[in-house]
Amino acid sequence: MTERRDSSVKAPHGRTDEVDRKFMELAIDEMHKSRSEHTQKSDPMVGAILVAANGQQLGATHRGDLRVGDHAEFTLIERYLTGTNLENATLYVTLEPCVKRSEKKTPCAERIVGARIGRVLIGIPDPNPDIRGLGIQYLLNNGVAVDFFDVDLVAKINEANCDFLKYWSDCDIQSKDLPAFKGASSKEVELLHHVGLDALSERAISYYLERRKVDLRLRTPELWSFLKDRRFVDEKNEHSLAPTVAGLLLFGESVADILPQSRISFESKRGGRVVQAEFTGPLIAFRDFLDGFFKEHMRYFTEIHGLDRTNEPEYPLEAIREAAFNAVLHRDYAAGTRVHVSLSDDEITIRSPGGLLEPVSLAAMRDFTAPQYSRNPHIAQALCHLGWVEERASGLKRMRDAMLAYKHRRQRLIWMVDISS
């Protein structure tokens, strides 16, 4: 493994939008030339461009360029540019660099660090939830600056890779052997050794299976194998299983009794009257609780459309759902504080503990251009299967658009992260 180097050698963080945009688009052009090596599954289409610190393009390639199966980063660094000084160069690559290869192959993330590349712009994270975020985290841990492609270009990458993304969305086999890198999702897959499987709600599991159209009977080895593959349960010893943090959060009967930080506080302060509530159940039930609270405490306005009268809420539920699900999906469950949702006379505030997940920036959040990068990818994938969130980098944009449709109202929706954690 390459020795960690000091972050002072990395390329400047500042985005040069016009230059970056040009090379992002060139990487996407390369992506479309990719060659697949498998017939039984979909391989990703990946394009990559390397640019020197002085702005000169050094090379361009795609997956399977010189030899079917070769990753784009390998082809650039070890084939086209072998012997070239790549220190502080910028790599534009449409898919997160891998952190795991076969025994005789070096992962692309290690090659990037070994070549002393200073900055990497990534199109989309790897959709495999056992890999997703690990490449990004490895680069950050080794002093490489990481940024993301523009959201509209991410949509093009997703479209070109729809079969590959669907493969991992539907795949019934997940990788069991994690690479030796600490990624963003280490807490959610932590095993709760002291908790038994009876802590999981059969009703919640049944609902999940039904929405996924998976025909499995409860309390069977096949069901536990299915949940284990998705990192919702794991082996605590040779003869028994236990829930993971993700499994308990999604399906737990009394989640807050075991993970007190999972409680979600609700508060309504309207006209001097304060009403408080608390959600303590599994995330499978969170949407109904959220909708019920706001339907009860929001004001409604009568609007006339032609000859029809309609009652419209002061906030669009779509925007509230997006903000609230972002809070529970991206929060740090190792933190002791909880998500807090507050409705006042002129705004909704949703606070999420744990700070932003590096390298997502506050500027990107404010511009509604933050990438599809989750601290808890296994939970995110489960809620994606339920149809409640999308892993397409579109949630913040939908929230913004829904609120702009209500721009004639003075109310505000604010989503805040606890940057002190």
Side-chain angles (χ1 to χ4, degrees), residues 356-389:
L356 293 175
L357 180 61
E358 194 179 14
V360 177
S361 68
L362 190 57
M365 297 293 294
R366 288 171 172 164
D367 292 340
F368 294 88
T369 59
Q372 56 185 84
Y373 185 36
S374 174
R375 179 178 270 114
N376 305 295
H378 295 80
I379 297 173
Q381 189 179 54
L383 296 182
C384 181
H385 284 142
L386 294 173
W388 295 347
V389 299

mmCIF file of all heavy atoms in Angstrom, residues 356-389:
data_model
loop_
_atom_site.group_PDB
_atom_site.id
_atom_site.type_symbol
_atom_site.label_atom_id
_atom_site.label_comp_id
_atom_site.label_asym_id
_atom_site.label_seq_id
_atom_site.Cartn_x
_atom_site.Cartn_y
_atom_site.Cartn_z
ATOM 1 N N LEU A 356 -20.953 17.721 6.807
ATOM 2 C CA LEU A 356 -20.962 17.265 5.425
ATOM 3 C C LEU A 356 -19.946 16.157 5.234
ATOM 4 O O LEU A 356 -18.881 16.148 5.848
ATOM 5 C CB LEU A 356 -20.639 18.421 4.478
ATOM 6 C CG LEU A 356 -21.689 19.534 4.402
ATOM 7 C CD1 LEU A 356 -21.186 20.661 3.520
ATOM 8 C CD2 LEU A 356 -23.006 18.994 3.853
ATOM 9 N N LEU A 357 -20.278 15.215 4.369
ATOM 10 C CA LEU A 357 -19.380 14.109 4.059
ATOM 11 C C LEU A 357 -18.376 14.575 3.018
ATOM 12 O O LEU A 357 -18.728 14.897 1.889
ATOM 13 C CB LEU A 357 -20.182 12.918 3.529
ATOM 14 C CG LEU A 357 -19.401 11.670 3.165
ATOM 15 C CD1 LEU A 357 -18.687 11.122 4.390
ATOM 16 C CD2 LEU A 357 -20.322 10.612 2.573
ATOM 17 N N GLU A 358 -17.108 14.653 3.428
ATOM 18 C CA GLU A 358 -16.070 15.091 2.522
ATOM 19 C C GLU A 358 -16.015 14.175 1.288
ATOM 20 O O GLU A 358 -16.154 12.969 1.423
ATOM 21 C CB GLU A 358 -14.715 15.042 3.258
ATOM 22 C CG GLU A 358 -13.613 15.778 2.548
ATOM 23 C CD GLU A 358 -12.301 15.712 3.324
ATOM 24 O OE1 GLU A 358 -12.205 14.896 4.248
ATOM 25 O OE2 GLU A 358 -11.387 16.478 2.999
ATOM 26 N N PRO A 359 -15.921 14.734 0.065
ATOM 27 C CA PRO A 359 -15.596 16.117 -0.285
ATOM 28 C C PRO A 359 -16.792 16.970 -0.687
ATOM 29 O O PRO A 359 -16.623 17.957 -1.400
ATOM 30 C CB PRO A 359 -14.677 15.921 -1.489
ATOM 31 C CG PRO A 359 -15.277 14.743 -2.184
ATOM 32 C CD PRO A 359 -15.815 13.847 -1.098
ATOM 33 N N VAL A 360 -18.015 16.615 -0.293
ATOM 34 C CA VAL A 360 -19.179 17.445 -0.612
ATOM 35 C C VAL A 360 -19.007 18.803 0.060
ATOM 36 O O VAL A 360 -18.683 18.886 1.242
ATOM 37 C CB VAL A 360 -20.472 16.767 -0.137
ATOM 38 C CG1 VAL A 360 -21.678 17.661 -0.405
ATOM 39 C CG2 VAL A 360 -20.652 15.419 -0.823
ATOM 40 N N SER A 361 -19.238 19.865 -0.684
ATOM 41 C CA SER A 361 -19.000 21.210 -0.162
ATOM 42 C C SER A 361 -20.305 21.903 0.207
ATOM 43 O O SER A 361 -21.374 21.591 -0.327
ATOM 44 C CB SER A 361 -18.264 22.065 -1.211
ATOM 45 O OG SER A 361 -19.107 22.322 -2.319
ATOM 46 N N LEU A 362 -20.198 22.874 1.112
ATOM 47 C CA LEU A 362 -21.352 23.672 1.490
ATOM 48 C C LEU A 362 -21.848 24.485 0.301
ATOM 49 O O LEU A 362 -23.056 24.688 0.128
ATOM 50 C CB LEU A 362 -20.980 24.599 2.657
ATOM 51 C CG LEU A 362 -22.124 25.342 3.346
ATOM 52 C CD1 LEU A 362 -23.162 24.370 3.876
ATOM 53 C CD2 LEU A 362 -21.595 26.216 4.471
ATOM 54 N N ALA A 363 -20.919 24.938 -0.548
ATOM 55 C CA ALA A 363 -21.314 25.701 -1.736
ATOM 56 C C ALA A 363 -22.186 24.848 -2.657
ATOM 57 O O ALA A 363 -23.181 25.329 -3.205
ATOM 58 C CB ALA A 363 -20.069 26.186 -2.475
ATOM 59 N N ALA A 364 -21.820 23.569 -2.824
ATOM 60 C CA ALA A 364 -22.614 22.684 -3.674
ATOM 61 C C ALA A 364 -23.996 22.451 -3.082
ATOM 62 O O ALA A 364 -24.993 22.347 -3.812
ATOM 63 C CB ALA A 364 -21.892 21.355 -3.867
ATOM 64 N N MET A 365 -24.071 22.379 -1.749
ATOM 65 C CA MET A 365 -25.379 22.229 -1.106
ATOM 66 C C MET A 365 -26.236 23.463 -1.342
ATOM 67 O O MET A 365 -27.422 23.366 -1.666
ATOM 68 C CB MET A 365 -25.189 22.000 0.394
ATOM 69 C CG MET A 365 -24.440 20.732 0.740
ATOM 70 S SD MET A 365 -25.348 19.245 0.334
ATOM 71 C CE MET A 365 -26.715 19.394 1.471
ATOM 72 N N ARG A 366 -25.650 24.631 -1.196
ATOM 73 C CA ARG A 366 -26.400 25.876 -1.380
ATOM 74 C C ARG A 366 -26.842 26.066 -2.819
ATOM 75 O O ARG A 366 -27.875 26.673 -3.085
ATOM 76 C CB ARG A 366 -25.547 27.060 -0.922
ATOM 77 C CG ARG A 366 -25.385 27.147 0.588
ATOM 78 C CD ARG A 366 -24.363 28.201 0.981
ATOM 79 N NE ARG A 366 -24.336 28.409 2.418
ATOM 80 C CZ ARG A 366 -23.348 29.029 3.058
ATOM 81 N NH1 ARG A 366 -22.307 29.490 2.385
ATOM 82 N NH2 ARG A 366 -23.396 29.181 4.372
ATOM 83 N N ASP A 367 -26.039 25.535 -3.758
ATOM 84 C CA ASP A 367 -26.379 25.657 -5.175
ATOM 85 C C ASP A 367 -27.266 24.512 -5.654
ATOM 86 O O ASP A 367 -27.603 24.447 -6.834
ATOM 87 C CB ASP A 367 -25.105 25.675 -6.028
ATOM 88 C CG ASP A 367 -24.286 26.939 -5.819
ATOM 89 O OD1 ASP A 367 -24.859 27.937 -5.334
ATOM 90 O OD2 ASP A 367 -23.082 26.929 -6.148
ATOM 91 N N PHE A 368 -27.599 23.584 -4.766
ATOM 92 C CA PHE A 368 -28.406 22.412 -5.107
ATOM 93 C C PHE A 368 -27.720 21.569 -6.184
ATOM 94 O O PHE A 368 -28.370 20.991 -7.051
ATOM 95 C CB PHE A 368 -29.814 22.826 -5.574
ATOM 96 C CG PHE A 368 -30.632 23.461 -4.491
ATOM 97 C CD1 PHE A 368 -30.574 24.826 -4.256
ATOM 98 C CD2 PHE A 368 -31.460 22.691 -3.693
ATOM 99 C CE1 PHE A 368 -31.311 25.407 -3.246
ATOM 100 C CE2 PHE A 368 -32.212 23.265 -2.682
ATOM 101 C CZ PHE A 368 -32.142 24.624 -2.454
ATOM 102 N N THR A 369 -26.384 21.488 -6.116
ATOM 103 C CA THR A 369 -25.629 20.703 -7.088
ATOM 104 C C THR A 369 -24.785 19.622 -6.428
ATOM 105 O O THR A 369 -23.874 19.094 -7.054
ATOM 106 C CB THR A 369 -24.706 21.616 -7.923
ATOM 107 O OG1 THR A 369 -23.800 22.308 -7.046
ATOM 108 C CG2 THR A 369 -25.516 22.618 -8.715
ATOM 109 N N ALA A 370 -25.070 19.294 -5.176
ATOM 110 C CA ALA A 370 -24.285 18.265 -4.483
ATOM 111 C C ALA A 370 -24.447 16.918 -5.179
ATOM 112 O O ALA A 370 -25.527 16.593 -5.684
ATOM 113 C CB ALA A 370 -24.727 18.153 -3.026
ATOM 114 N N PRO A 371 -23.393 16.109 -5.220
ATOM 115 C CA PRO A 371 -23.434 14.838 -5.963
ATOM 116 C C PRO A 371 -24.178 13.754 -5.208
ATOM 117 O O PRO A 371 -24.526 13.891 -4.041
ATOM 118 C CB PRO A 371 -21.947 14.486 -6.096
ATOM 119 C CG PRO A 371 -21.330 15.080 -4.875
ATOM 120 C CD PRO A 371 -22.080 16.375 -4.634
ATOM 121 N N GLN A 372 -24.396 12.627 -5.899
ATOM 122 C CA GLN A 372 -25.088 11.479 -5.327
ATOM 123 C C GLN A 372 -24.115 10.655 -4.496
ATOM 124 O O GLN A 372 -23.714 9.561 -4.861
ATOM 125 C CB GLN A 372 -25.696 10.636 -6.444
ATOM 126 C CG GLN A 372 -24.670 10.194 -7.484
ATOM 127 C CD GLN A 372 -25.304 9.463 -8.626
ATOM 128 O OE1 GLN A 372 -25.784 10.067 -9.547
ATOM 129 N NE2 GLN A 372 -25.292 8.147 -8.580
ATOM 130 N N TYR A 373 -23.761 11.159 -3.352
ATOM 131 C CA TYR A 373 -22.729 10.542 -2.517
ATOM 132 C C TYR A 373 -23.277 10.432 -1.110
ATOM 133 O O TYR A 373 -23.566 11.438 -0.468
ATOM 134 C CB TYR A 373 -21.467 11.398 -2.587
ATOM 135 C CG TYR A 373 -20.274 10.826 -1.858
ATOM 136 C CD1 TYR A 373 -20.025 9.464 -1.825
ATOM 137 C CD2 TYR A 373 -19.378 11.674 -1.210
ATOM 138 C CE1 TYR A 373 -18.921 8.950 -1.171
ATOM 139 C CE2 TYR A 373 -18.264 11.171 -0.558
ATOM 140 C CZ TYR A 373 -18.038 9.809 -0.539
ATOM 141 O OH TYR A 373 -16.951 9.305 0.116
ATOM 142 N N SER A 374 -23.435 9.222 -0.627
ATOM 143 C CA SER A 374 -24.124 9.003 0.635
ATOM 144 C C SER A 374 -23.189 8.468 1.704
ATOM 145 O O SER A 374 -22.326 7.627 1.442
ATOM 146 C CB SER A 374 -25.276 8.009 0.441
ATOM 147 O OG SER A 374 -25.865 7.672 1.678
ATOM 148 N N ARG A 375 -23.377 8.948 2.935
ATOM 149 C CA ARG A 375 -22.639 8.401 4.074
ATOM 150 C C ARG A 375 -23.122 6.986 4.395
ATOM 151 O O ARG A 375 -22.371 6.182 4.938
ATOM 152 C CB ARG A 375 -22.834 9.322 5.282
ATOM 153 C CG ARG A 375 -22.125 8.855 6.536
ATOM 154 C CD ARG A 375 -22.321 9.834 7.685
ATOM 155 N NE ARG A 375 -21.282 10.841 7.702
ATOM 156 C CZ ARG A 375 -21.469 12.134 7.480
ATOM 157 N NH1 ARG A 375 -22.687 12.566 7.201
ATOM 158 N NH2 ARG A 375 -20.477 12.995 7.522
ATOM 159 N N ASN A 376 -24.356 6.667 4.062
ATOM 160 C CA ASN A 376 -24.965 5.383 4.415
ATOM 161 C C ASN A 376 -25.565 4.728 3.165
ATOM 162 O O ASN A 376 -26.790 4.681 3.001
ATOM 163 C CB ASN A 376 -26.054 5.600 5.474
ATOM 164 C CG ASN A 376 -25.532 6.318 6.703
ATOM 165 O OD1 ASN A 376 -24.696 5.800 7.434
ATOM 166 N ND2 ASN A 376 -26.010 7.537 6.926
ATOM 167 N N PRO A 377 -24.721 4.203 2.266
ATOM 168 C CA PRO A 377 -25.223 3.731 0.971
ATOM 169 C C PRO A 377 -26.150 2.525 1.048
ATOM 170 O O PRO A 377 -27.016 2.365 0.197
ATOM 171 C CB PRO A 377 -23.947 3.395 0.196
ATOM 172 C CG PRO A 377 -22.897 3.187 1.241
ATOM 173 C CD PRO A 377 -23.252 4.123 2.360
ATOM 174 N N HIS A 378 -25.993 1.650 2.054
ATOM 175 C CA HIS A 378 -26.874 0.490 2.158
ATOM 176 C C HIS A 378 -28.293 0.929 2.526
ATOM 177 O O HIS A 378 -29.276 0.403 1.984
ATOM 178 C CB HIS A 378 -26.338 -0.503 3.183
ATOM 179 C CG HIS A 378 -25.036 -1.117 2.795
ATOM 180 N ND1 HIS A 378 -23.834 -0.462 2.960
ATOM 181 C CD2 HIS A 378 -24.734 -2.315 2.229
ATOM 182 C CE1 HIS A 378 -22.854 -1.241 2.526
ATOM 183 N NE2 HIS A 378 -23.366 -2.358 2.078
ATOM 184 N N ILE A 379 -28.409 1.881 3.442
ATOM 185 C CA ILE A 379 -29.724 2.427 3.780
ATOM 186 C C ILE A 379 -30.302 3.158 2.577
ATOM 187 O O ILE A 379 -31.495 3.015 2.255
ATOM 188 C CB ILE A 379 -29.618 3.376 4.994
ATOM 189 C CG1 ILE A 379 -29.139 2.608 6.231
ATOM 190 C CG2 ILE A 379 -30.956 4.049 5.275
ATOM 191 C CD1 ILE A 379 -28.841 3.492 7.425
ATOM 192 N N ALA A 380 -29.470 3.932 1.895
ATOM 193 C CA ALA A 380 -29.935 4.679 0.722
ATOM 194 C C ALA A 380 -30.463 3.735 -0.349
ATOM 195 O O ALA A 380 -31.507 3.986 -0.962
ATOM 196 C CB ALA A 380 -28.798 5.535 0.166
ATOM 197 N N GLN A 381 -29.762 2.632 -0.580
ATOM 198 C CA GLN A 381 -30.205 1.697 -1.606
ATOM 199 C C GLN A 381 -31.537 1.053 -1.227
ATOM 200 O O GLN A 381 -32.413 0.857 -2.072
ATOM 201 C CB GLN A 381 -29.152 0.624 -1.848
ATOM 202 C CG GLN A 381 -29.468 -0.260 -3.052
ATOM 203 C CD GLN A 381 -28.410 -1.296 -3.304
ATOM 204 O OE1 GLN A 381 -28.066 -2.062 -2.404
ATOM 205 N NE2 GLN A 381 -27.885 -1.340 -4.510
ATOM 206 N N ALA A 382 -31.718 0.736 0.049
ATOM 207 C CA ALA A 382 -32.982 0.135 0.489
ATOM 208 C C ALA A 382 -34.147 1.092 0.256
ATOM 209 O O ALA A 382 -35.206 0.699 -0.260
ATOM 210 C CB ALA A 382 -32.891 -0.243 1.971
ATOM 211 N N LEU A 383 -33.978 2.364 0.617
ATOM 212 C CA LEU A 383 -35.055 3.334 0.444
ATOM 213 C C LEU A 383 -35.257 3.671 -1.029
ATOM 214 O O LEU A 383 -36.363 4.025 -1.439
ATOM 215 C CB LEU A 383 -34.754 4.594 1.254
ATOM 216 C CG LEU A 383 -34.696 4.373 2.775
ATOM 217 C CD1 LEU A 383 -34.446 5.691 3.505
ATOM 218 C CD2 LEU A 383 -35.974 3.726 3.297
ATOM 219 N N CYS A 384 -34.203 3.528 -1.823
ATOM 220 C CA CYS A 384 -34.337 3.672 -3.270
ATOM 221 C C CYS A 384 -35.218 2.558 -3.829
ATOM 222 O O CYS A 384 -36.091 2.797 -4.667
ATOM 223 C CB CYS A 384 -32.962 3.669 -3.930
ATOM 224 S SG CYS A 384 -32.982 3.862 -5.718
ATOM 225 N N HIS A 385 -35.030 1.343 -3.340
ATOM 226 C CA HIS A 385 -35.854 0.221 -3.783
ATOM 227 C C HIS A 385 -37.320 0.427 -3.401
ATOM 228 O O HIS A 385 -38.221 -0.066 -4.092
ATOM 229 C CB HIS A 385 -35.348 -1.079 -3.162
ATOM 230 C CG HIS A 385 -34.109 -1.599 -3.817
ATOM 231 N ND1 HIS A 385 -33.079 -2.188 -3.102
ATOM 232 C CD2 HIS A 385 -33.704 -1.602 -5.109
ATOM 233 C CE1 HIS A 385 -32.124 -2.548 -3.942
ATOM 234 N NE2 HIS A 385 -32.474 -2.196 -5.156
ATOM 235 N N LEU A 386 -37.546 1.121 -2.315
ATOM 236 C CA LEU A 386 -38.923 1.415 -1.896
ATOM 237 C C LEU A 386 -39.548 2.532 -2.727
ATOM 238 O O LEU A 386 -40.743 2.778 -2.632
ATOM 239 C CB LEU A 386 -38.953 1.793 -0.410
ATOM 240 C CG LEU A 386 -38.579 0.683 0.578
ATOM 241 C CD1 LEU A 386 -38.482 1.243 1.988
ATOM 242 C CD2 LEU A 386 -39.595 -0.451 0.523
ATOM 243 N N GLY A 387 -38.731 3.226 -3.519
ATOM 244 C CA GLY A 387 -39.253 4.311 -4.349
ATOM 245 C C GLY A 387 -39.344 5.636 -3.640
ATOM 246 O O GLY A 387 -39.980 6.569 -4.136
ATOM 247 N N TRP A 388 -38.699 5.760 -2.477
ATOM 248 C CA TRP A 388 -38.813 6.996 -1.696
ATOM 249 C C TRP A 388 -37.681 7.973 -1.970
ATOM 250 O O TRP A 388 -37.807 9.158 -1.698
ATOM 251 C CB TRP A 388 -38.847 6.665 -0.196
ATOM 252 C CG TRP A 388 -40.059 5.879 0.182
ATOM 253 C CD1 TRP A 388 -41.180 5.676 -0.577
ATOM 254 C CD2 TRP A 388 -40.285 5.174 1.402
ATOM 255 N NE1 TRP A 388 -42.075 4.888 0.087
ATOM 256 C CE2 TRP A 388 -41.560 4.557 1.306
ATOM 257 C CE3 TRP A 388 -39.529 4.984 2.550
ATOM 258 C CZ2 TRP A 388 -42.093 3.786 2.330
ATOM 259 C CZ3 TRP A 388 -40.063 4.208 3.571
ATOM 260 C CH2 TRP A 388 -41.323 3.627 3.466
ATOM 261 N N VAL A 389 -36.553 7.492 -2.448
ATOM 262 C CA VAL A 389 -35.446 8.366 -2.829
ATOM 263 C C VAL A 389 -34.909 7.862 -4.156
ATOM 264 O O VAL A 389 -35.186 6.730 -4.570
ATOM 265 C CB VAL A 389 -34.312 8.386 -1.776
ATOM 266 C CG1 VAL A 389 -34.810 8.903 -0.451
ATOM 267 C CG2 VAL A 389 -33.692 6.999 -1.622
#
